[in-house]
Amino acid sequence: MRAAASERVLVLLALLIVAVALFASTFGQTFSGGGDVAQQPMFFPRIVLGLWAALALAALVQAVLAGEGVAPIASWTRIGVVLLAIVVYANAIAWEGFFVPSVVFALVCLPAFGIRNPLVVAAFAVAVPGALVALFNHGLGMPLPTSRFTYLF
Amino acid sequence: MRTQTLSVLLGAALALPAAAQDFPERPINLVAPFNAGGGTDLLLRGLAPHFAEAIGGDVFVSNMAGGSGTVAASALQGQRPDGYQLGYFSVTVSTIQPQIKNVPYGVDSWTPICSVAASPSMLFVNADSPFQTMDDVVEAVNAAPGEYVYGSSGPGAMTHLTTVAAFAGLGILDKMKHLPFQGSGPAIKELTAGNIQFFGDTEVLMQRGDFRPLVVFNSERLENYPDVPTATEVGIEAPLNELYLWGGLFAPAGLDEDLADILEEACEVAVNSEGFAEFAESSGTVIRYRGREEFDAFFRDQYEANQVLIDAAGL
Amino acid sequence: MIESLPAALAILFGLEGILVLVLGTVLGIVLGAMPGIGSTVAVAIVLPFTLTMGQAPAILLLLAVYAGSVYGGSIAAILINTPGTPQSAATCLDGYPMAQRGEAGLALGWATVASVAGGLVSAVVLIFLAPQLAAFALEFGPIETFALILLGMTCIVSVSTGSVVKGLLAGTIGIFLSTVGGDPILGEMRFTFGQWQLFAGFNLLAVVIGVFALSEVLIRAAGPITRVSELIDFRGVRLPTRAMWRGRLGNLGKSVAIGNVIGVLPGTGAATAAFISYAEGRRSSPNRDAFGTGEPDGIVSSEAANNAVTGGALVPTMALGIPGDAITAVMLATLTLHGITPGPRLVEDDPVLIAAIFAGFFVINLLLLPLGMLLSRVAAPILRVREAFMMTAIVLLCAVGIYFVRGNTFDLLVMGAAGVFGFVLRRQGFPMAPLVIGMVLGPTLELTLRQGLILTDGSFPAFFTGHPIALVLGIVAVVALAVPMVRAGLARRRGTA
């Protein structure tokens, strides 16, 4: 319970710090706009960031006072693996194309969600991305990013 | 199999890069820096089949939208110049945006291949507007400074530069207000509604509403509008007197000369093909082909000349 | 218009016409129902085919795919809580809770009937009132639009399930995200920190898919493993009975009207309409207290409005030559390509084409009902696969869908980051719909505010003194904010007394 409450305080604190940091960053730059508020690029963002900071502070106070808990995490390993896999996957497509990272992602993600049969995992991991590549790259002529080895996938 | 080996041997014997011999051995990507279905995208899709036929290989159009076209140009600039990736860039993407934004490309980032189209831009008012000539406009603006509003489809867009060229050229820009919109659609709506009094774009777009052109930024009067004076005639001096929405194919800088020649030739055949002429006719595209050298010189010249416009616009 | 109808119907019910309408609608529904693949990708896929078609079939194909994908988006929103497009984000709010209750088929039934009703009414309005509506759209300048968007922003409060403060905070973050990139008035770069990839700002769809679809995958990864997807008892659409409609017709009518009016105004769009309609339903529906817990009126508000927008958006497109939203912009470009100049003269110059488009839109909406029911029956078994396959496939499809929106792998990074961000916030009880509202309305809010200040020489009060429509909308916005608070206050007093 206490750990959960502190997780919430931590998140809200982070949101508050980001808002303040972004607000501070709006004063460092110079822009071409004149004196009119409508001509100032930072006029609107400053209002929004000010509001953000105020609301984050209010939510923080609420969280500290109420101390309500968050849903427990069933398996830290699983959420850790899936989260990391998604982030790496989103990055890898730019460098390695769509097919190869997709296969690897499915090979990691399916067992994490509890599929144990290696044959099923391998078949899904190759068939689904393969079908997408066949459809978009070769059927419709609107290719997904391709790998460094060949333009075929 | 045997012929392939033979051609490789032959290529080696002639001391030509194998790449140029077999080019293209995979599909060529034409990048539209705007969304699918936009004007640029459709023009490129109209050109693609003729380009494919001329070069004897597969060609596909892909879209990479965002940042007024700068995202696609920035991405293409960082690609290997292998001839398989070409961008279709307009005057604003290639000469205006790099001078007003801190993008990673500039005048030397490209191997220009060919220009495809160019339309002169025009300044126009609503059909029920009291203004018949530019003289009327100058008089009215001088009589009521800060009263009149000109619109644009966004800061730094062709529509913005057209109005800037007109009003800066006549010395009344400081006495007017600029109201940018997101895209030509909303701006044209406000012109119809009367919230803005002036807008500038190409002939095709002007015909979408009941509008009256006041001046055209061309070297001579337009065939369809013989009564509309050119900018020079109303007293706008060079380099603000001519303004064209042009576009052409660019490859990243450092493209092999032989590949560039192949692409240029294919472009020439495609742009001058009967099929593309038909397409241009129905879509209102004004074809303007320039070869590699001519286009390179024109592009560099425009890059320089548009500096004046950018300064006038205060961008 | 009416006298051209026979000729128009001949086009529609020719072989090509029927083929285009049916295939387009089916394709749209299927693509829209896949999480991550939304209207944008659906339109991009069929676009090359339209280039080789005649004028009317080309436009009808685009319309059919678009209307089908908007409807299909509600399927994904209801069944797996992952809206494929921002306009079905409001449908999740009540659709998903209803599905979780085991009433997935009925929830889809409400969505289907509401979509069809919204579409059909807007088609009729389109046929008879297009010129009048177009004239009305011209009354809406930047200042009036600003007031309308302000009204839209008040929905943030009504969609904030749980904590209003957190809802407002999420909405504010959404608005901020929309300010990253080029300044709309001067073109200066904001919060890009020298990264050219950010010059175009954060892509709305990448963020929406991230915070809804990917965060859903992460939340399921954080929970206990289920052997099958949660919603096993979905066996196809179940239409609401007449008795169920009692007391809900008023809300349907109002939602259709809101969708039509907002659709007519260029630069607003389906997502705005869905949220404003949802907020209005929550304020005035007799079932308002159940909103957010799986209330049919919530689904109806969102779906009737977002589908009515499609018809509304055709009004300025065809009557004035001004695109009402992204898809009508594509249609205009396609028309131009076929040698037709869209604009005020189009109705007189080419009445048969216009009549064919309007009548075709009516037919497409009629088709949604049988095709939607048929396809959902075919698709039902797919939802019964194990969660692992479903979640993995969702991530792959989202990557495909987001890549094609702008053809940029950077957007995939944004999607991944938004997924993690959404997961962290949702764990802390933050509602995600306000974040989407903020991102959808933020750019127009800022642009019209600053445009208004330019027009009034920097006087904010002049927004309301000189513009009666803006004044009325402003008052409605204040009332919309105040009424729930007063009501909550009264309820609290009654509760303690």
Side-chain angles (χ1 to χ4, degrees), chain B residues 29-68:
Chain B
N29 181 9
L30 303 181
V31 181
F34 299 101
N35 274 324
T40 306
D41 171 67
L42 290 174
L43 182 130
L44 212 45
R45 285 178 198 273
L47 180 68
H50 308 295
F51 191 70
E53 195 180 329
I55 206 155
D58 274 342
V59 171
F60 67 95
V61 176
S62 71
N63 302 86
M64 192 168 189
S68 311

Side-chain angles (χ1 to χ4, degrees), chain C residues 125-213:
Chain C
V125 168
L126 190 63
I127 292 169
F128 292 102
L129 290 175
Q132 290 85 342
L133 281 171
F136 164 75
L138 288 181
E139 296 292 315
F140 260 73
I143 291 174
E144 285 79 8
T145 309
F146 171 76
L148 178 75
I149 296 298
L150 210 56
L151 173 62
M153 283 286 180
T154 64
C155 339
I156 288 179
V157 177
S158 48
V159 299
S160 298
T161 41
S163 155
V164 174
V165 174
K166 282 179 192 150
L168 288 172
L169 183 50
T172 314
I173 293 174
I175 303 174
F176 170 76
L177 291 178
S178 78
T179 66
V180 173
D183 169 274
I185 301 288
L186 298 160
E188 298 267 3
M189 286 301 148
R190 304 185 296 192
F191 307 108
T192 53
F193 305 104
Q195 297 293 311
W196 59 264
Q197 293 277 20
L198 276 175
F199 284 5
F202 290 116
N203 181 254
L204 171 67
L205 273 170
V207 174
V208 169
I209 295 298
V211 298
F212 276 100

Side-chain angles (χ1 to χ4, degrees), chain B residues 47 88-89 112-118 246-250 264 267-268 271-272 276 287-292 294-296 298:
Chain B
L47 180 68
Y88 182 88
F89 300 143
I113 302 292
C114 61
S115 84
V116 176
W246 55 260
L249 293 175
F250 289 83
E264 179 196 17
C267 181
E268 182 173 5
V271 172
N272 294 325
F276 189 65
I287 295 179
R288 180 71 175 85
Y289 176 80
R290 284 185 184 87
R292 216 146 67 79
E294 197 191 346
F295 185 38
D296 191 40
F298 173 76

Side-chain angles (χ1 to χ4, degrees), chain B residues 212-291:
Chain B
R212 177 168 56 241
L214 294 183
V215 58
V216 55
F217 291 84
N218 197 15
S219 53
E220 52 193 66
R221 294 190 177 203
L222 294 184
E223 208 175 297
N224 292 340
Y225 297 93
D227 298 331
V228 178
T230 66
T232 316
E233 289 175 57
V234 302
I236 297 169
E237 286 169 19
L240 298 181
N241 61 337
E242 286 183 32
L243 198 54
Y244 303 94
L245 180 59
W246 55 260
L249 293 175
F250 289 83
L255 179 66
D256 187 281
E257 287 285 323
D258 299 318
L259 296 188
D261 284 339
I262 296 173
L263 289 168
E264 179 196 17
E265 201 190 311
C267 181
E268 182 173 5
V269 173
V271 172
N272 294 325
S273 69
E274 213 167 280
F276 189 65
E278 245 170 64
F279 167 88
E281 170 76 20
S282 64
S283 63
T285 307
V286 184
I287 295 179
R288 180 71 175 85
Y289 176 80
R290 284 185 184 87

Side-chain angles (χ1 to χ4, degrees), chain C residues 9 53 69 75 100 198 216 220 253 268 271 295 300 346 360 385 410 418 450 457 463 465 489-490:
Chain C
L9 292 178
M53 296 175 155
S69 68
I75 299 179
Q100 277 179 312
L198 276 175
E216 182 73 25
R220 297 212 183 184
T268 43
E295 163 57 39
V300 169
L346 184 57
V385 301
F410 175 74
R450 291 171 65 187
D457 292 312
F463 274 42
T465 52
L490 285 178

Side-chain angles (χ1 to χ4, degrees), chain A residues 86 89 105, chain C residues 214 217 390-399 415:
Chain A
I86 286 184
Y89 175 58
F105 174 77
Chain C
L214 288 195
V217 172
M390 183 73 101
M391 294 300 122
T392 310
I394 286 178
V395 177
L396 298 183
L397 285 174
C398 288
M415 177 183 78

